[in-house]
Amino acid sequence: MTRSNRGDKIDPREVQIVHTISRTTRACYLMGCVPGSDENYDHRKEWVDELIQRFAAQFAIDVLSFSVLSTHHHQLLRSRPDIVQTWDDTEVARRWLMICPKRKDKAGNALPPSEPELDTIRNCPIRVEELRLRLSDISWWMRLLNQRIAQRANREDDAGGRFFEDRFKGIPVIDEESVLACAVYVDLNWIRACMAETLELSEHTSAQRRIAAVDSEQQVTEPDDSAAESGNDASTRCHQSLPDSFLAPVDLCEANNPPGPQPSDSGARCSDKGFLSMSRLEYLELLDWSARQIRDGKRGRTPDDLPPILIRLGLSPTVWLKLIADFDDLFTTMAGLPEHIDQQRGKQTGRPFHVRKQTRELFAQAA
């Protein structure tokens, strides 16, 4: 079947959540240990991890979850054009020049742009609007990330040619049930691939980062009265140094947080807006529960301790475990409940999106 036009599904002018997948060419182990060989490229996973963190600090895109494996990487991203609109022309220019710098230090890190460098962008309104759009464009995020990984790997190998497949796969995720299932699916990739036995050992995943952040918070002591910094300053500094500081918060907190974009002052991510109606701890508990069901081969049983979030969403254990095990197979163009996908139309063609027969049958079981 011909792959759908990405522009028919993804628009950087809209707030959208998109599941992206990039695979190495011919599924070669170009980011891991090559089976039956002494070749090991595990260090390239760290390259992807570092770029995701750098981009999270500059793009108007929230990182909801990610995992980096030996032959591919997953990201669950949310475009934030509403955040871009809060930036003036100087901020747009500064951020783009931190992503695509004119100058770098000896370690290859971007140097803060000079005033003349900023002027080359902010003095041209057409260029500013072009870059404003790119900063919330998931396609540009993926293009630059994959390009830099490929160029760096080719230099290391003294080779040329493709590193990743032609195009990344981008699937919009349109409802709460599917956002939750996709986030869990992405975070459990190391366990499903038998690369780790626990979430804590699942390296280069958002799950490991969030667990490490919980551990770090529990170890933080309150500043004493003689501390030179205020309690708020200490809290801010602690937050910025947490392992998951570049990730979007889990809890949407719609009842407590003010409406609107909620731009972040942390410098590590573009916004402080969550993406699920549950706390970080509740999410990690659901992750742990789901990992145990998959690892122990218990998909067919109905556990007594079904997480409350699944009850609220009306998802049976059978449907839930099938979703997080086969998410990529169930959703090929758009992810969501079949009735929600049926209501969507292509942004350019106006055509409906295809829903696989097995996906309709799965959700029909839960009806």
Side-chain angles (χ1 to χ4, degrees):
M1 185 173 65
T2 303
R3 185 180 293 187
S4 60
N5 181 356
R6 190 180 296 135
D8 207 31
K9 302 180 296 181
I10 303 173
D11 187 348
R13 298 173 182 83
E14 298 179 5
V15 176
Q16 286 183 291
I17 295 176
V18 179
H19 175 213
T20 69
I21 311 164
S22 279
R23 301 186 185 279
T24 55
T25 183
R26 299 184 182 181
C28 296
Y29 287 75
L30 299 179
M31 298 188 294
C33 185
V34 181
S37 168
D38 293 333
E39 296 179 83
N40 190 328
Y41 304 109
D42 276 333
H43 59 283
R44 292 175 179 170
K45 294 185 180 73
E46 187 64 36
W47 296 355
V48 180
D49 198 317
E50 290 174 353
L51 271 180
I52 290 174
Q53 293 183 60
R54 290 185 188 180
F55 283 7
Q58 305 300 339
F59 273 92
I61 292 174
D62 293 323
V63 182
L64 311 188
S65 65
F66 77 95
S67 60
V68 187
L69 293 93
S70 298
T71 61
H72 62 288
H73 61 80
H74 293 264
Q75 297 175 62
L76 186 59
L77 305 171
R78 180 173 59 193
S79 56
R80 299 301 306 275
D82 54 337
I83 292 287
V84 180
Q85 295 308 314
T86 68
W87 298 339
D88 60 20
D89 292 354
T90 297
E91 185 65 6
V92 168
R94 185 194 69 79
R95 286 176 177 267
W96 184 256
L97 289 171
M98 290 300 292
I99 296 168
C100 299
K102 301 288 186 181
R103 296 172 295 114
K104 299 180 181 179
D105 62 19
K106 294 181 179 179
N109 298 314
L111 290 172
S114 65
E115 289 298 313
E117 289 170 345
L118 292 170
D119 285 340
T120 62
I121 293 176
R122 62 188 176 189
N123 289 345
C124 178
I126 294 177
R127 180 63 170 162
V128 169
E129 290 311 306
E130 177 186 41
L131 297 181
R132 192 181 292 277
L133 188 62
R134 287 185 186 180
L135 286 169
S136 63
D137 193 335
I138 289 172
S139 289
W140 269 93
W141 170 295
M142 294 298 295
R143 173 181 176 175
L144 293 175
L145 187 146
N146 284 348
Q147 183 183 76
R148 292 178 186 184
I149 296 301
Q151 290 174 343
R152 188 173 178 181
N154 283 346
R155 284 196 302 270
E156 183 178 70
D157 295 340
D158 192 20
R162 295 189 182 279
F163 186 87
F164 291 104
E165 292 178 343
D166 288 358
R167 300 173 65 193
F168 74 88
K169 185 178 181 181
I171 302 176
V173 187
I174 62 174
D175 52 35
E176 183 181 7
E177 294 88 347
S178 298
V179 170
L180 176 60
C182 187
V184 171
Y185 167 78
V186 169
D187 273 330
L188 292 183
N189 254 262
W190 272 61
I191 291 176
R192 291 181 64 248
C194 298
M195 295 172 65
E197 292 188 353
T198 66
L199 295 168
E200 294 89 336
L201 297 177
S202 298
E203 297 182 346
H204 308 295
T205 67
S206 45
Q208 188 190 54
R209 294 301 186 117
R210 295 192 192 279
I211 292 171
V214 171
D215 292 341
S216 296
E217 287 177 337
Q218 292 174 346
Q219 296 172 10
V220 171
T221 57
E222 292 294 330
D224 58 33
D225 294 337
S226 63
E229 60 187 352
S230 68
N232 288 337
D233 290 340
S235 176
T236 300
R237 191 178 68 174
C238 173
H239 170 75
Q240 292 174 344
S241 64
L242 288 175
D244 69 344
S245 60
F246 67 99
L247 298 173
V250 172
D251 196 346
L252 194 56
C253 288
E254 291 180 307
N256 300 324
N257 288 334
Q262 298 179 29
S264 178
D265 295 327
S266 69
R269 61 191 181 201
C270 82
S271 86
D272 294 330
K273 199 176 189 70
F275 63 100
L276 292 172
S277 299
M278 59 198 308
S279 69
R280 180 173 59 187
L281 284 176
E282 289 172 327
Y283 175 73
L284 292 176
E285 288 172 358
L286 175 61
L287 262 182
D288 182 65
W289 179 89
S290 300
R292 292 174 188 276
Q293 311 311 311
I294 292 176
R295 189 172 65 250
D296 295 340
K298 299 177 181 177
R299 298 184 191 180
R301 79 182 186 97
T302 303
D304 296 329
D305 55 344
L306 189 67
I309 184 66
L310 300 187
I311 297 174
R312 183 176 66 78
L313 294 176
L315 295 173
S316 70
T318 302
V319 171
W320 172 252
L321 295 175
K322 180 70 173 176
L323 274 176
I324 62 173
D326 302 322
F327 193 89
D328 278 347
D329 294 328
L330 292 168
F331 304 110
T332 56
T333 57
M334 184 168 288
L337 299 179
E339 58 266 32
H340 294 165
I341 298 177
D342 289 339
Q343 296 171 8
Q344 302 293 314
R345 292 294 182 271
K347 299 179 184 303
Q348 298 174 350
T349 64
R351 297 174 182 171
F353 293 100
H354 174 69
V355 180
R356 288 191 167 185
K357 180 180 178 182
Q358 61 178 339
T359 306
R360 292 192 186 277
E361 291 176 346
L362 176 65
F363 283 100
Q365 296 176 17

